[in-house]
Amino acid sequence: MFLNLCENPRTSYIQERREYQFATPFISLKVIQGLTGLTAAVAVAGVCGCGSLRKREFAIKSCLYDWQKFARENTTNSPEPITSSVCSPIMTTTSEGPSHEHLAQDSRYHKLKIKIVEALKIHGPQRVLLAGKAGIGKTRLAKLVGEFAYDHDGHIATNKSICFLTLCLHLNKKYEKSDEWSLYENIASQLSVYSDFEETEIDDRDEDEEEEKKARDLNDLKKNIIKEIEKREASVEENKQNFPAKEDKGKKPPEKTPESEEKAKRLAAERAKDRYLLLILDDEGSVTKEDVVMNVLKLQEFLTKEVLKEDPTRLKVLITRRQEEEDKVVVKADVAADAKRDGSEDGSEIAVVVPPVAESSPTNGNEPQADSKPSNELDMSKDLIDIIDNANLEDIFATATSKEWKDDKGWIAEMVKQSKNSPAAVFVLAKSLKQITRNTSNQGKEEIDKLIKKVLSSDRSLSLESGSSSPERDVNPVLCLAYELLQIGFPLKDAILDCFWHSLDFFEHCGCVYYRDLITQWILEGYFDPVRSVENAYQDGHKILMELINRGMLRIQENNVVVPERAMSTLIDPRRRGLFGRSKLRFSRVYLGDKKKGIGKITQIDDMIKTVQAKKGDSVSTILVSGDRLRRVTPEKYFEKLGDLEVLGLFEPTLDPFVPALLQRPKNVGERALEKLRVLVIRDCDLLDNIEELRALRGLNVLEVSGASSLKKISDDFFKALSKLQSLHLSGLRIKSSPPSISELTELHCLIIRNCPLLKDLPDIQELKKLEVVDVSGAHGLQTCFDNTPGEKKNKSKNKNFYHLTRLQLLDFSESQIERLPIFQDSAVGDKLHSVTRLLLRDCTKLRRLPSLKPLSGLQILDLSGTTSLVEMLEVCFEDKKELTTLNLTGTNLSELATTIDELTNLNNLLLKDSKNLESIPPISKLTNLEVIDVSGCTKLHTIEGTFEGMHYLRVIDLTDTKVMTPPELPTETKITCPKRITLADGTVFDGDTWSEITDKIKSKRSDKASSSEAVAESQEIIEKKSEETRETQPSEPHASDNTKKGDFTMERLLQVPIKRDIYKNILSQFDSISQKEVVKIHEAKDLPNADFVSFVDINSTSLKSILSEAKSVKVFSLKMCRDIKEIFSAEDEKSLGPLETLSLSITNLPLLEKISCGVSFHNLKELRIECCPNIKTLFLEAAQMPSSLEVLHIKYCEKLEKVFNEGEVSTLTTLCLYELPLLSAVGAKLPNLEIFDNKSCPNLLVLKEDLTVRGV
């Protein structure tokens, strides 16, 4: 019905009203085809004829009743069941869909339904309670019970009690204690004795107005309700009399006599005692309590005394109530305090403990109730919970989804297991998949399958400790999957996410909402900006509304009122800015469900959203209009007629000047212009350069002036007269100073001064205790949030401490130039600011340090990316952060992280990219919920302590351009089903489905590289030998290892490869015959005295000395991968060897080498290259150990090297190259003739070439 009718938002105003009327008087063609010819004709005449709305509705009800009788008598040809409020007096939730049909058919639900009805039939004022967490089917079951109880035809043949009427009140709507009209208007609407003009067709108004004006008085409305209920009860009695008993079927009815009529009246009077009225109070306590409706608004008295004629035993009540898993639900009373603002003594917050299932004695409001239970109340909550099992949930899924998703029984069973026994979760997922399949081609199914596996496998709730307070304990992975699927199969991806989160937030503060109001709220919050056409924006909103309904995330109640699926309220918004950063007004915090503060009854027409005008001349209280539409009018004349405006939204207005026109006083009116205006939105008006006259709008609750690039100044006292402001949005302006009078706006909830690049100061906001959002992002000129007044006039306490902002949820200073933040605590009290969920400081390039963030215990996202001056974070900053999911320190200058980082046990994303000074990361093994670790570009990072083994949800590791050559041990087990990736320091990427697979790939790659590196190295030596005679030494280029890929000869890679001593024999076949002869000459001992170039691989110290004694004339000597050599050479060795003629010595991958002494044997040495020798701390401890002719010295990858020379002067050295030496802090000798000095990735060596040549450091 509603779902079928709302597909096309381009319908005309009249057509849209006809379609939405009561959300139910629509009869599909399939239903018409199932009726008899006469009944079908009556139905068509009733729907399409020229009668009034009420007459047509009566015709529809009549033909539907005939159709129901026909269906009962002809079950084999019965058409599809209708869910309609005109079929029975109960108001339906039209979005329940297949799930509802399934519940009706399930035998267990049917038995429970009968059990509840039988309990209600017991003589007396019986009550039945269905309580439980959101999403278990309480409302659906209550609806089934209501329909079953009212289906009196099945009970007429018996003498049991029957229900003659079912009324349903959804208490997720706010009923004010002084507003009886709204309550009885709702009941009258269910009985079709009153229709709101918002739902009335234009063509019917003249006729309907005559009927409705009689009911304008509350007493008259109640009389009409009583009259209609009496007719309904009389109709039931008539059916009872006309329904023959089984034994009388086929017999001729007896003739009526005075005696028989008298007997019939007595029987009717007796039967009246068995007829009862069923009142369903759905979602009791979510917004309105039972006590308010039954006692304060006197519904109990009205029903029992006036409707049921002083017989309270005929009133039965069925209550559904949301109950969390905890024994008690602690609710912050700030919203209630705001609602009672006028009567409260102060603005302090109180924690109200609400018993979840207790019934209360009469009070005078929504106060907390005592934990008492009426004696006549039967709690059947457990009965409902007990019938929910996996088989039932699988049936719900199969019934609600499309055929493409029904075949994989294994996946469905696994999904149901993770649904936490929630029918709502299964239903929403089923509807989402069905909707996506309808919107997308089969090509997208593979992407959806991957997302399904990823999300369902990432459920952390079961792995959390039982006492954990993490919000993730309550998150349902099936609902998470449904949320993730919002980005598939729908074009307006960002907007639908905004609207989804807004719907949940709006309900929490305001309760249910009429569908047009909800779309209008989305437009006001800026989710469709820029709004160049209100009609187009409304159409986009309508598409999203229908998409959310079709996915089961929004539900429709009576009169097209919308509520979200409450089970989804446990989800956590993962977006960086979240809903608060995406919303421009936070209007829900102003509205709070109070009709007087809302936007009224509206419609979309003529490229505007405006108040529904019941008749010509009615005042208009709400208008949303874009610049294109405004160009058709004369501003002065247009606004002159709108003196009663309360809500005005102007999008890209091009009128100049339009503020004077806006404030034009209506003729012959003594009051100020727009005195009633509560909400004013002026968005994207380039021509606006002055708003001073707007201070006359003293009743404003909401003010937005954004995108006014010509506005350069707002006077200091501008806001003094606007003391009622609760939401203030100033963005895209050219102002340099924010008005200090903002500090006087004590009712302010939301302060946005965004993208004002010239802004240099802020108002003092530390005493605005109701603030929830402070967004000053994009203020490029803002250098301080404190007082920047020079001299003695400086207010040193300005914005010093945000401790009082106990409701603050978002604090955003991104892209400003502030150097310090306010503090967040009072040392004398020590309470927490748990409400803050996001602290965003992206690209605050002047921010040097942070205050203690320990009080921000509810922080979920901490973004410090781009704070290039940040060099320090206190240890306490990471304490008490159990809810932190994202830590972004990208591009900071931190040299170390606080060791308390291991307390961030709920962290999902650790982002440290391009933190150039970061050298090590403390142990993070406890961060078992991590999904992403990004340290790419941290060029000084050499150590990540601990292991990754327990990080079973890890997906991405990026070590690019770090010194972490070997990552910590990867997870041995993975719980998340998705591709995994690790990028090593050298940029090598390894992908796989599991970390074990990736580990095997890394080991295999290392082995292959080691083997190929040996071949490349030996080949290079041969090439070098062939050109050695003519080549001049190039000091800046290493001989062998630097000519291969970086890192090929590192200790970590090569020492895991078994080295064969006769390596040349294994690679001779790779070279030509000439090279083979030369290599053989070198390899054979008898030819050593004649060799110029010798390379030894994996040789021990004894063999080395023996060979060198025979090869004293070798000019170029290379020593590689010798795993047991600790010293070159001892004093004794040098004495026995004597002088060698070696000119160039290369030492690579000697893991145990600690000492080099070559002052005697290598006194002719001119070039020395040392690479990957991790145990050397000082290269030359004494001058005697150093070659006296050394000219070129290259040192690389010696991670423990602290000093090159111990002391003295090296006058021969002309070239010194030092690469990747993390601990090197000094050269240690004076180098007076140094010509080339190359220093790369030696973070502790802070010297220049001039320092070495002059004094030596």
Side-chain angles (χ1 to χ4, degrees):
M1 287 161 291
F2 184 91
L3 300 181
N4 295 330
L5 293 167
C6 298
E7 297 288 344
N8 182 13
R10 294 180 179 273
T11 54
S12 68
Y13 180 61
I14 296 176
Q15 182 182 358
E16 184 180 286
R17 290 181 174 281
R18 182 176 292 113
E19 289 174 342
Y20 284 120
Q21 180 67 38
F22 295 115
T24 50
F26 170 81
I27 303 181
S28 68
L29 290 177
K30 185 176 290 187
V31 173
I32 295 294
Q33 290 170 359
L35 303 177
T36 61
L38 177 62
T39 309
V42 173
V44 173
V47 176
C48 305
C50 299
S52 71
L53 178 65
R54 186 167 294 109
K55 291 176 181 177
R56 274 180 277 166
E57 192 177 337
F58 178 77
I60 292 171
K61 281 189 268 189
S62 300
C63 70
L64 282 175
Y65 179 77
D66 290 343
W67 174 79
Q68 285 178 326
K69 281 186 71 175
F70 174 82
R72 282 194 296 271
E73 296 168 1
N74 301 272
T75 54
T76 56
N77 298 318
S78 177
E80 293 183 359
I82 298 177
T83 303
S84 172
S85 65
V86 295
C87 299
S88 67
I90 184 171
M91 301 308 298
T92 64
T93 303
T94 60
S95 65
E96 298 296 338
S99 174
H100 174 71
E101 295 170 9
H102 169 74
L103 292 183
Q105 298 165 4
D106 189 291
S107 61
R108 290 166 296 179
Y109 280 93
H110 183 68
K111 290 178 182 178
L112 179 57
K113 176 177 62 177
I114 295 175
K115 185 177 179 182
I116 293 175
V117 171
E118 291 299 324
L120 291 170
K121 288 180 179 180
I122 298 173
H123 184 73
Q126 296 300 315
R127 297 162 53 90
V128 172
L129 173 67
L130 297 174
K133 62 183 181 180
I136 64 171
K138 303 181 297 294
T139 299
R140 293 183 177 95
L141 180 59
K143 176 182 174 182
L144 286 172
V145 169
E147 292 176 344
F148 182 73
Y150 178 75
D151 186 16
H152 46 76
D153 285 356
H155 303 280
I156 288 176
T158 71
N159 292 322
K160 293 183 179 180
S161 299
I162 61 172
C163 173
F164 73 89
L165 180 65
T166 299
L167 295 175
C168 180
L169 294 177
H170 296 283
L171 298 190
N172 48 34
K173 177 179 180 179
K174 186 169 185 178
Y175 289 100
E176 298 288 349
K177 291 181 290 184
S178 58
D179 186 13
E180 283 188 76
W181 177 268
S182 294
L183 174 63
Y184 292 98
E185 178 188 52
N186 187 323
I187 297 173
S189 177
Q190 294 186 49
L191 298 170
S192 302
V193 298
Y194 178 84
S195 59
D196 198 299
F197 279 120
E198 187 168 23
E199 298 294 350
T200 305
E201 301 173 22
I202 293 175
D203 295 341
D204 293 330
R205 283 184 183 162
D206 292 340
E207 187 173 350
D208 285 338
E209 278 180 26
E210 294 300 320
E211 299 177 17
E212 300 295 350
K213 65 184 181 181
K214 300 175 183 177
R216 294 297 180 185
D217 181 76
L218 180 60
N219 291 328
D220 290 337
L221 183 63
K222 288 182 177 180
K223 289 177 183 178
N224 289 342
I225 292 173
I226 295 170
K227 183 178 179 180
E228 179 63 24
I229 293 177
E230 288 175 347
K231 287 169 60 177
R232 301 285 180 99
E233 186 173 7
S235 175
V236 171
E237 174 60 25
E238 183 181 353
N239 288 340
K240 170 68 177 176
Q241 292 177 2
N242 295 334
F243 197 99
K246 290 183 179 179
E247 60 271 16
D248 295 332
K249 281 191 176 182
K251 295 182 180 180
K252 184 178 180 181
E255 295 183 2
K256 291 184 179 180
T257 63
E259 292 79 9
S260 64
E261 290 183 359
E262 181 65 26
K263 181 180 179 181
K265 288 182 180 179
R266 288 198 308 273
L267 292 174
E270 293 176 4
R271 284 196 297 267
K273 298 179 181 179
D274 294 326
R275 292 193 296 271
Y276 65 88
L277 185 153
L278 175 60
L279 175 64
I280 299 176
L281 300 179
D282 180 43
D283 209 3
E284 190 275 334
S286 63
V287 176
T288 302
K289 284 189 168 296
E290 176 189 1
D291 185 66
V292 172
V293 172
M294 300 300 284
N295 298 314
V296 178
L297 298 180
K298 302 178 181 179
L299 180 60
Q300 175 100 22
E301 179 182 337
F302 172 73
L303 292 177
T304 55
K305 290 185 177 180
E306 301 185 47
V307 174
L308 300 176
K309 311 303 181 186
E310 302 285 349
D311 189 356
T313 63
R314 297 174 63 202
L315 177 62
K316 316 290 184 175
V317 182
L318 174 59
I319 301 173
T320 72
R321 180 183 295 139
R322 186 181 182 187
Q323 175 186 355
E324 299 301 334
E325 294 181 359
E326 294 81 3
D327 293 334
K328 292 183 178 180
V329 181
V330 180
V331 181
K332 234 178 184 183
D334 55 341
V335 175
D338 288 344
K340 301 175 183 178
R341 183 182 302 115
D342 297 335
S344 60
E345 297 181 2
D346 56 48
S348 60
E349 295 182 10
I350 31 177
V352 180
V353 179
V354 183
V357 295
E359 201 50 51
S360 57
S361 57
T363 63
N364 61 355
N366 273 323
E367 296 85 351
Q369 307 295 326
D371 190 3
S372 59
K373 178 180 176 180
S375 58
N376 60 334
E377 180 175 286
L378 178 62
D379 189 345
M380 303 190 72
S381 308
K382 188 175 184 303
D383 299 71
L384 172 58
I385 295 172
D386 287 345
I387 64 175
I388 302 173
D389 58 18
N390 289 355
N392 168 244
L393 296 177
E394 289 178 14
D395 289 344
I396 289 177
F397 180 83
T399 307
T401 196
S402 56
K403 61 182 180 181
E404 291 87 350
W405 301 99
K406 298 180 181 180
D407 298 333
D408 191 347
K409 302 297 183 182
W411 170 77
I412 294 175
E414 184 61 30
M415 176 272 296
V416 164
K417 287 180 182 178
Q418 296 191 60
S419 68
K420 298 190 175 182
N421 228 29
S422 171
V426 174
F427 179 69
V428 169
L429 178 60
K431 297 285 285 183
S432 296
L433 291 172
K434 181 178 181 180
Q435 183 66 11
I436 292 172
T437 305
R438 181 188 302 172
N439 295 344
T440 60
S441 63
N442 290 332
Q443 295 177 350
K445 192 171 187 302
E446 183 177 350
E447 178 186 357
I448 298 172
D449 287 336
K450 290 180 180 178
L451 183 61
I452 288 173
K453 292 177 181 177
K454 173 190 170 185
V455 176
L456 291 184
S457 62
S458 61
D459 178 24
R460 294 168 171 78
S461 60
L462 298 178
S463 63
L464 294 173
E465 298 177 5
S466 58
S468 172
S469 61
S470 170
E472 298 217 14
R473 284 196 59 82
D474 300 323
V475 173
N476 190 310
V478 175
L479 290 175
C480 284
L481 175 57
Y483 169 74
E484 294 286 344
L485 290 171
L486 276 175
Q487 301 186 65
I488 299 178
F490 191 75
L492 304 172
K493 290 182 171 58
D494 290 336
I496 196 171
L497 293 180
D498 291 334
C499 295
F500 166 77
W501 289 111
H502 175 272
S503 302
L504 289 174
D505 179 75
F506 189 89
F507 180 84
E508 290 301 318
H509 291 104
C510 309
C512 59
V513 57
Y514 184 63
Y515 81 98
R516 286 192 202 130
D517 292 359
L518 184 60
I519 295 174
T520 304
Q521 298 279 351
W522 293 343
I523 295 173
L524 284 172
E525 295 294 351
Y527 303 148
F528 308 111
D529 280 356
V531 176
R532 296 185 173 89
S533 165
V534 169
E535 181 180 356
N536 291 341
Y538 184 87
Q539 289 172 10
D540 287 343
H542 193 279
K543 291 175 185 175
I544 289 176
L545 176 80
M546 294 312 306
E547 188 71 15
L548 293 174
I549 289 172
N550 289 337
R551 294 189 183 219
M553 296 178 181
L554 288 181
R555 297 187 285 114
I556 302 296
Q557 295 179 169
E558 76 276 356
N559 297 333
N560 294 323
V561 167
V562 182
V563 294
E565 174 50 66
R566 293 289 301 280
M568 302 199 77
S569 62
T570 59
L571 296 181
I572 302 171
D573 192 345
R575 300 174 300 169
R576 173 182 173 267
R577 291 175 57 80
L579 176 66
F580 306 140
R582 292 283 299 157
S583 303
K584 294 191 172 182
L585 302 179
R586 294 295 319 279
F587 185 68
S588 62
R589 296 298 283 111
V590 179
Y591 172 39
L592 294 177
D594 186 345
K595 291 197 301 184
K596 296 178 182 178
K597 297 178 181 178
I599 57 179
K601 300 172 183 178
I602 56 170
T603 186
Q604 191 277 310
I605 184 173
D606 194 20
D607 204 12
M608 292 187 293
I609 291 175
K610 60 180 295 187
T611 303
V612 173
Q613 291 174 279
K615 58 183 182 292
K616 291 182 179 180
D618 280 1
S619 62
V620 175
S621 61
T622 296
I623 281 185
L624 272 66
V625 61
S626 60
D628 289 342
R629 177 64 180 80
L630 277 176
R631 278 193 285 270
R632 302 187 220 164
V633 303
T634 303
E636 291 79 3
K637 293 182 179 179
Y638 183 75
F639 289 115
E640 182 180 347
K641 300 176 183 178
L642 302 176
D644 291 325
L645 266 184
E646 297 181 32
V647 178
L648 176 60
L650 302 171
F651 306 97
E652 296 192 355
T654 55
L655 306 177
D656 183 29
F658 78 85
V659 170
L662 176 67
L663 299 176
Q664 180 75 31
R665 179 178 300 179
K667 293 180 180 178
N668 303 321
V669 176
E671 62 185 13
R672 293 189 297 272
L674 297 182
E675 187 179 55
K676 299 179 182 179
L677 198 66
R678 296 178 288 103
V679 179
L680 176 60
V681 175
I682 305 173
R683 195 170 291 168
D684 299 324
C685 180
D686 294 333
L687 301 176
L688 184 63
D689 59 3
N690 192 318
I691 62 170
E692 293 303 312
E693 294 181 63
L694 295 180
R695 69 172 73 197
L697 305 176
R698 297 176 179 271
L700 280 180
N701 299 135
V702 178
L703 174 62
E704 176 186 342
V705 179
S706 62
S709 55
S710 299
L711 184 59
K712 298 181 179 179
K713 183 175 175 58
I714 302 176
S715 60
D716 290 352
D717 61 347
F718 178 84
F719 293 101
K720 283 185 176 294
L722 305 181
S723 59
K724 297 181 180 179
L725 269 183
Q726 298 178 52
S727 176
L728 175 60
H729 183 151
L730 305 171
S731 67
L733 313 182
R734 306 291 290 180
I735 59 175
K736 295 182 179 179
S737 176
S738 56
S741 52
I742 292 177
S743 305
E744 301 178 24
L745 302 177
T746 55
E747 298 297 321
L748 207 60
H749 291 289
C750 177
L751 175 62
I752 300 175
I753 311 179
R754 187 189 302 160
N755 296 328
C756 296
L758 304 181
L759 188 68
K760 294 184 177 179
D761 67 7
L762 290 179
D764 190 355
I765 59 174
Q766 62 184 350
E767 297 298 330
L768 303 183
K769 299 180 180 180
K770 296 182 179 180
L771 273 177
E772 295 179 346
V773 175
V774 175
D775 184 352
V776 200
S777 58
H780 303 303
L782 183 66
Q783 297 182 358
T784 180
C785 52
F786 310 113
D787 194 354
N788 59 1
T789 305
E792 297 180 356
K793 295 183 178 180
K794 183 188 293 272
N795 179 7
K796 295 182 179 180
S797 64
K798 178 182 178 181
N799 288 331
K800 182 179 180 181
N801 197 336
F802 279 2
Y803 167 73
H804 293 295
L805 306 185
T806 54
R807 301 184 190 177
L808 190 64
Q809 298 180 54
L810 169 69
L811 181 60
D812 192 350
F813 282 107
S814 297
E815 299 179 51
S816 68
Q817 302 299 310
I818 60 172
E819 297 181 2
R820 288 190 300 122
L821 287 176
I823 59 177
F824 299 102
Q825 64 185 25
D826 187 334
S827 57
V829 180
D831 286 347
K832 306 272 191 281
L833 279 177
H834 186 79
S835 60
V836 180
T837 61
R838 284 165 173 80
L839 177 58
L840 308 179
L841 301 166
R842 175 176 290 179
D843 294 331
C844 292
T845 55
K846 298 292 181 64
L847 186 67
R848 301 186 63 83
R849 59 173 296 175
L850 295 172
S852 170
L853 302 182
K854 185 174 182 178
L856 308 184
S857 56
L859 206 59
Q860 295 173 9
I861 296 178
L862 175 58
D863 186 356
L864 296 164
S865 58
T867 54
T868 52
S869 298
L870 186 65
V871 296
E872 180 185 6
M873 285 188 73
L874 301 175
E875 287 283 327
V876 295
C877 284
F878 293 149
E879 293 181 1
D880 293 333
K881 298 290 180 296
K882 300 299 183 184
E883 298 179 24
L884 192 69
T885 59
T886 298
L887 175 61
N888 193 342
L889 298 174
T890 298
T892 64
N893 269 319
L894 295 171
S895 59
E896 60 181 0
L897 297 178
T899 57
T900 50
I901 192 173
D902 66 347
E903 297 183 19
L904 306 179
T905 53
N906 202 41
L907 197 66
N908 299 153
N909 301 291
L910 178 59
L911 309 176
L912 302 168
K913 182 179 180 180
D914 293 330
S915 296
K916 302 296 184 183
N917 286 330
L918 189 64
E919 298 180 6
S920 64
I921 296 177
I924 56 174
S925 303
K926 294 181 181 180
L927 308 187
T928 54
N929 282 305
L930 274 178
E931 293 184 21
V932 177
I933 301 175
D934 186 355
V935 293
S936 60
C938 298
T939 53
K940 295 182 181 180
L941 181 66
H942 55 79
T943 303
I944 300 178
E945 297 184 28
T947 175
F948 296 164
E949 281 186 292
M951 299 178 184
H952 302 313
Y953 301 99
L954 200 57
R955 297 184 290 110
V956 178
I957 304 172
D958 196 341
L959 306 173
T960 306
D961 292 332
T962 66
K963 295 180 182 177
V964 183
M965 297 306 170
T966 301
E969 293 183 50
L970 299 180
T972 54
E973 178 188 353
T974 181
K975 293 183 179 179
I976 185 169
T977 306
C978 67
K980 317 297 188 301
R981 166 173 289 196
I982 182 171
T983 306
L984 299 182
D986 61 1
T988 307
V989 177
F990 293 93
D991 294 301
D993 292 330
T994 66
W995 286 112
S996 298
E997 178 185 343
I998 291 177
T999 301
D1000 292 341
K1001 287 182 178 180
I1002 293 175
K1003 289 180 179 179
S1004 176
K1005 186 74 172 178
R1006 284 174 173 170
S1007 178
D1008 293 343
K1009 275 197 171 185
S1011 298
S1012 62
S1013 297
E1014 294 162 7
V1016 171
E1018 305 311 331
S1019 173
Q1020 183 64 32
E1021 290 167 1
I1022 294 171
I1023 295 171
E1024 291 177 349
K1025 178 186 179 301
K1026 292 169 65 177
S1027 60
E1028 185 68 28
E1029 296 178 358
T1030 58
R1031 183 176 64 86
E1032 291 185 7
T1033 302
Q1034 300 296 325
S1036 61
E1037 291 295 330
H1039 277 280
S1041 60
D1042 281 359
N1043 288 322
T1044 61
K1045 189 172 181 180
K1046 175 182 176 182
D1048 282 350
F1049 290 94
T1050 62
M1051 174 195 66
E1052 294 87 350
R1053 291 168 182 257
L1054 291 182
L1055 288 184
Q1056 297 183 25
V1057 183
I1059 306 299
K1060 294 186 177 180
R1061 298 184 182 278
D1062 291 333
I1063 191 163
Y1064 287 109
K1065 294 180 180 180
N1066 296 327
I1067 64 171
L1068 286 178
S1069 60
Q1070 302 179 32
F1071 305 107
D1072 56 44
S1073 57
I1074 298 176
S1075 297
Q1076 290 182 29
K1077 291 178 183 178
E1078 292 174 339
V1079 172
V1080 170
K1081 287 179 181 176
I1082 296 172
H1083 184 60
E1084 294 175 359
K1086 64 181 181 179
D1087 296 320
L1088 283 176
N1090 301 317
D1092 292 327
F1093 177 88
V1094 176
S1095 178
F1096 294 102
V1097 177
D1098 200 12
I1099 191 171
N1100 58 40
S1101 56
T1102 304
S1103 299
L1104 176 63
K1105 287 182 287 184
S1106 175
I1107 292 173
L1108 282 179
S1109 63
E1110 300 291 330
K1112 294 188 176 183
S1113 62
V1114 174
K1115 300 296 189 293
V1116 179
F1117 179 65
S1118 175
L1119 190 62
K1120 297 182 179 180
M1121 293 178 283
C1122 302
R1123 290 178 289 178
D1124 58 356
I1125 295 180
K1126 294 185 178 181
E1127 184 177 4
I1128 305 176
F1129 297 98
S1130 67
E1132 240 179 80
D1133 293 337
E1134 286 204 280
K1135 197 172 186 183
S1136 62
L1137 279 175
L1140 304 175
E1141 297 181 17
T1142 305
L1143 301 176
S1144 178
L1145 173 61
S1146 175
I1147 302 173
T1148 303
N1149 269 293
L1150 272 64
L1152 300 182
L1153 184 65
E1154 298 176 350
K1155 181 179 178 183
I1156 297 178
S1157 178
C1158 48
V1160 176
S1161 297
F1162 291 93
H1163 70 283
N1164 292 321
L1165 192 67
K1166 296 185 178 299
E1167 182 178 1
L1168 175 61
R1169 297 175 182 273
I1170 301 175
E1171 191 171 324
C1172 296
C1173 297
N1175 279 324
I1176 295 179
K1177 293 186 177 180
T1178 301
L1179 193 58
F1180 301 113
L1181 292 173
E1182 302 173 6
Q1185 298 174 347
M1186 187 175 58
S1188 57
S1189 302
L1190 190 64
E1191 297 176 359
V1192 177
L1193 177 59
H1194 280 247
I1195 308 175
K1196 189 174 185 179
Y1197 297 136
C1198 297
E1199 58 192 47
K1200 292 185 180 179
L1201 185 67
E1202 298 174 352
K1203 203 171 185 180
V1204 179
F1205 308 101
N1206 194 40
E1207 56 185 13
E1209 179 178 306
V1210 184
S1211 58
T1212 57
L1213 198 66
T1214 59
T1215 300
L1216 177 61
C1217 298
L1218 305 171
Y1219 303 132
E1220 306 286 342
L1221 306 171
L1223 300 183
L1224 181 66
S1225 59
V1227 173
K1230 184 178 179 182
L1231 310 175
N1233 297 312
L1234 189 65
E1235 297 175 1
I1236 298 174
F1237 175 56
D1238 194 4
N1239 169 19
K1240 292 181 180 177
S1241 299
C1242 301
N1244 294 320
L1245 186 64
L1246 306 176
V1247 297
L1248 301 174
K1249 174 186 168 184
E1250 292 73 18
D1251 299 324
L1252 297 173
T1253 56
V1254 175
R1255 61 182 183 275
V1257 289

